[in-house]
Amino acid sequence: MISRRDFLQVSMAASALYGASGFGNWARLAAQQALTQDQLLEFDTFGNVSLIHITDIHAQMKPIYFREPSVNIGVGPNKGAVPHLTGADFRRFYGIDDGSPSHYALSSGDFSALAQGYGRIGGLDRVATVVDAIRADRPDALLLDGGDTWHGSMTCYKTQGQDMVNVMNGLKPDAMTFHWEFTLGSDRVAEIVEGLPFAALGQNIFDAEWDEPAELFPPYTFFERGGVNIAVIGQAFPYMPIANPGWMFPEYSFGIRDENMQAMVDEVRAQGADLVVVLSHNGFDVDKKMASLVTGIDVILSGHTHDALPEPVLVGDTIVVASGSNGKFVSRVDLDVQNGRMMGFRHKLIPIFADVITPKPEMTALIDEQRAPFLDELTEVIGRTDSLLYRRGNFNGSWDDLICNALLSERDAEIALSPGVRWGPSLIPGQDITREDIWNVTSMTYPEAYRTEMTGEFLKVVLEDVADNIFNPDPYYQQGGDMVRTGGLGYSIDVSQPQGSRISDMTLLATGEPIDPARSYVVAGWASVNEGTEGPPIWDVVESHIASMGTVTVAENNSVEVTGL
């Protein structure tokens, strides 16, 4: 008799051959002109349950450019495994033709040239069109939001997330979980959550004082769809007080809490759940490890690490789905659930090509309504770029370099530090840089650009700590985003070494001298998690720098040497 795992593997292979897994037909189209909305939405309905997954929108309501990473290093058991393949290696792994729509949507190579042909991606009015089309085909489909939704733009900052709450309510999701939302502050989060018309889930969100599940965030909720009893369990970002300022949400504690996750899975199964879906903001590698330890999960909808994969990854009997970020993709997963078991699935990662998908007029109007009070500020042109400005990858992106250059010049510093966050759209050469563009890569509720002194010894400690958050071989200890970005400072990193031994050859770029452990250096940075940090907001620092330059050109950054791969 065929095992359930073998059956799922056959299902995955058959789906890929059938054209409903991965990209579907759009991967094989040669040029943008051949793309149509019908082809992007084409799907052979399967089974009796449909899930729609969006995640990591980061308040991007309008179409944008977004370049995928060229460097995404996997370590330990994930070395060389997806999503830690990029560029040509990624395209070869998935059989993606150079220059195809899937090359542009999912890979970093030739990005500027391909962007000119294929145009912007995303736009929540286009996402609404896709969601409506899936619901027309499967009226009881579940729409699940993986979090990082109420954060990442000027209007989101100025409305304390209300603009995104209003627009997302227009999409009518069924449930969501959380990460950056908590940086609005616990009072504001509570105010919003209490008014949400859908479930706000987090089995790992606990009351910090009593170490009990937080009442505001139930661990799970049930849905009856297609004759199937579905339990959706929420998993918020586990490392909130480490990666973000804990003083903003002192009432709560987080953590992976996989033992509690197992208890929740057992609990919903005991209550008759036929299908168990985890709506997660763990990050992909953490989700893979959780799937290997917690039994009884059918589907993990993965968020946080912004990975976009054209096929789910199978871990035991669990499929792990990654749906990208910034409104760039929508995942549709159809499931065949019989007698309390997931027997097969079909999946499609739908790219939101903004010039191909017709926007939903009501959603366009709702988005424009949110932006109207700020439109003059948003659209003011500050400068122009002759370089591709992007932020994804384990090390410096050109947007990060520009921010570091701004800190060095505007704050009169020797060394600049900028957080290794993954959010922030790209700009292609020749584009104007508007105030909105600057806010899209700097907007957060603790934006102060500090100026301080750090010894060379302390700088090495900082780099070593961040490196371990990213390159610890155990995914459960990977608590950071990408590597802290540096300006004025070069170094070597051996990702294969243990904590404390990865960083070497630290150099002050202005002089070429080795960093002296005993000397103090003037350091400017932003996004400190420490309460009471002082300094101008980072968006003002960057705007002043760009305005003084007029036209921005960012040189290739070779200040970090990576070994141990």
Side-chain angles (χ1 to χ4, degrees):
M1 178 179 292
I2 189 170
S3 71
R4 179 165 176 251
R5 175 175 170 79
D6 289 342
F7 191 91
L8 289 174
Q9 287 177 320
V10 170
S11 172
M12 183 178 288
S15 288
L17 290 170
Y18 196 79
S21 178
F23 316 105
N25 291 331
W26 71 270
R28 295 183 290 276
L29 299 171
Q32 179 202 16
Q33 290 74 19
L35 282 169
T36 68
Q37 179 170 304
D38 287 344
Q39 288 165 325
L40 290 176
L41 298 178
E42 182 182 11
F43 196 97
D44 291 284
T45 306
F46 176 77
N48 47 359
V49 172
S50 290
L51 307 176
I52 310 169
H53 183 226
I54 52 177
T55 190
D56 295 279
I57 296 170
H58 285 288
Q60 296 305 311
M61 297 190 286
K62 288 288 189 177
I64 56 169
Y65 296 108
F66 188 82
R67 174 190 179 273
E68 298 297 327
S70 57
V71 179
N72 187 356
I73 298 168
V75 292
N78 293 300
K79 184 177 181 179
V82 294
H84 304 290
L85 297 174
T86 60
D89 291 335
F90 184 95
R91 298 195 296 275
R92 278 192 295 270
F93 185 84
Y94 286 109
I96 296 171
D97 292 335
D98 288 351
S100 66
S102 47
H103 175 174
Y104 171 59
L106 287 156
S107 182
S108 59
D110 299 318
F111 181 82
S112 297
L114 292 172
Q116 296 281 2
Y118 289 114
R120 288 174 169 84
I121 51 83
L124 291 183
D125 48 1
R126 277 83 166 173
V127 169
T129 297
V130 173
V131 170
D132 284 354
I134 297 171
R135 284 172 168 158
D137 184 42
R138 181 81 68 145
D140 59 359
L142 287 178
L143 173 59
L144 303 172
D145 173 11
D148 275 2
T149 306
W150 316 332
H151 161 271
S153 72
M154 176 193 279
T155 58
C156 193
Y157 177 88
K158 289 183 177 289
T159 64
Q160 293 187 290
Q162 194 62 49
D163 66 329
M164 283 302 296
V165 172
N166 296 341
V167 171
M168 292 303 293
N169 285 351
L171 283 178
K172 297 181 172 61
D174 294 286
M176 74 175 293
T177 194
F178 303 91
H179 173 197
W180 276 91
E181 289 79 7
F182 275 92
T183 64
L184 293 172
S186 50
D187 289 346
R188 177 59 177 153
V189 170
E191 180 184 12
I192 295 175
V193 167
E194 287 167 358
L196 289 179
F198 52 85
L201 304 176
Q203 73 85 22
N204 60 332
I205 306 176
F206 272 51
D207 181 286
E209 182 177 0
W210 299 100
D211 196 33
E212 294 176 349
E215 291 184 6
L216 190 61
F217 304 96
Y220 58 79
T221 190
F222 277 92
F223 301 93
E224 183 75 23
R225 296 289 192 273
V228 176
N229 198 20
I230 305 168
V232 177
I233 304 174
Q235 176 78 0
F237 180 57
Y239 302 115
M240 284 293 303
I242 298 171
N244 305 98
W247 56 268
M248 289 183 162
F249 38 88
E251 300 92 336
Y252 300 110
S253 65
F254 298 85
I256 295 172
R257 300 188 188 269
D258 52 9
E259 291 182 2
N260 194 63
M261 176 64 80
Q262 183 67 71
M264 294 301 97
V265 173
D266 295 344
E267 188 172 303
V268 298
R269 289 290 187 188
Q271 294 179 37
D274 302 307
L275 180 75
V276 176
V277 178
V278 172
L279 180 60
S280 173
H281 206 88
N282 274 337
F284 198 81
D285 290 349
V286 178
D287 281 326
K288 284 173 60 180
K289 181 171 179 177
M290 175 176 277
S292 73
L293 297 175
V294 178
T295 60
I297 300 172
D298 295 300
V299 181
I300 297 179
L301 301 175
S302 187
H304 176 60
T305 39
H306 291 200
D307 309 298
L309 297 180
E311 296 174 5
V313 170
L314 188 60
V315 180
D317 290 340
T318 304
I319 63 168
V320 186
V321 176
S323 304
S325 67
N326 287 268
K328 190 175 179 181
F329 298 97
V330 172
S331 281
R332 175 177 177 174
V333 186
D334 278 18
L335 304 154
D336 181 27
V337 183
Q338 303 294 335
N339 301 316
R341 307 200 78 182
M342 182 179 72
M343 299 306 297
F345 67 90
R346 287 196 183 127
H347 160 274
K348 187 173 184 179
L349 184 68
I350 302 168
I352 310 301
F353 284 103
D355 292 338
V356 177
I357 296 174
T358 302
K360 181 178 180 178
E362 299 91 332
M363 186 62 81
T364 304
L366 180 58
I367 290 169
D368 290 345
E369 180 185 342
Q370 313 308 309
R371 293 167 55 84
F374 313 101
L375 200 56
D376 288 344
E377 286 183 87
L378 291 166
T379 56
E380 183 174 343
V381 175
I382 308 303
R384 182 179 178 277
T385 181
D386 280 348
S387 300
L388 171 64
L389 298 180
Y390 64 91
R391 174 181 270 160
R392 271 307 316 275
N394 291 135
F395 301 97
N396 283 42
S398 51
W399 253 127
D400 303 299
D401 290 334
L402 180 56
I403 292 170
C404 285
N405 291 341
L407 287 165
L408 291 172
S409 64
E410 299 293 317
R411 300 293 280 152
D412 190 23
E414 296 173 281
I415 292 169
L417 301 177
S418 188
V421 294
R422 299 185 179 93
W423 44 271
S426 308
L427 296 182
I428 61 175
Q431 268 193 273
D432 287 336
I433 304 173
T434 65
R435 181 169 292 117
E436 179 173 25
D437 296 324
I438 295 169
W439 277 75
N440 279 345
V441 292
T442 58
S443 178
M444 62 167 63
T445 55
Y446 46 108
E448 292 80 10
Y450 60 83
R451 185 177 186 272
T452 189
E453 291 192 0
M454 298 182 186
T455 65
E457 181 181 23
F458 184 74
L459 283 164
K460 183 175 189 299
V461 169
V462 169
L463 294 178
E464 288 282 5
D465 283 352
V466 178
D468 197 60
N469 284 343
I470 302 161
F471 301 115
N472 192 299
D474 185 343
Y476 276 15
Y477 290 93
Q478 294 173 4
Q479 301 166 353
D482 286 316
M483 192 66 186
V484 61
R485 287 36 173 136
T486 58
L489 172 68
Y491 63 92
S492 297
I493 178 170
D494 184 341
V495 299
S496 68
Q497 293 300 308
Q499 183 174 12
S501 302
R502 292 187 179 96
I503 306 297
S504 62
D505 300 325
M506 295 171 61
T507 304
L508 188 65
L509 297 179
T511 64
E513 297 172 356
I515 293 292
D516 182 349
R519 187 195 143 183
S520 289
Y521 297 86
V522 178
V523 178
W526 65 290
S528 170
V529 299
N530 297 317
E531 190 171 8
T533 299
E534 296 181 352
I538 185 63
W539 46 79
D540 285 352
V541 173
V542 176
E543 179 175 321
S544 176
H545 180 67
I546 292 173
S548 69
M549 295 180 70
T551 298
V552 169
T553 302
V554 181
E556 183 179 357
N557 189 335
N558 296 310
S559 63
V560 180
E561 181 185 14
V562 184
T563 61
L565 301 177

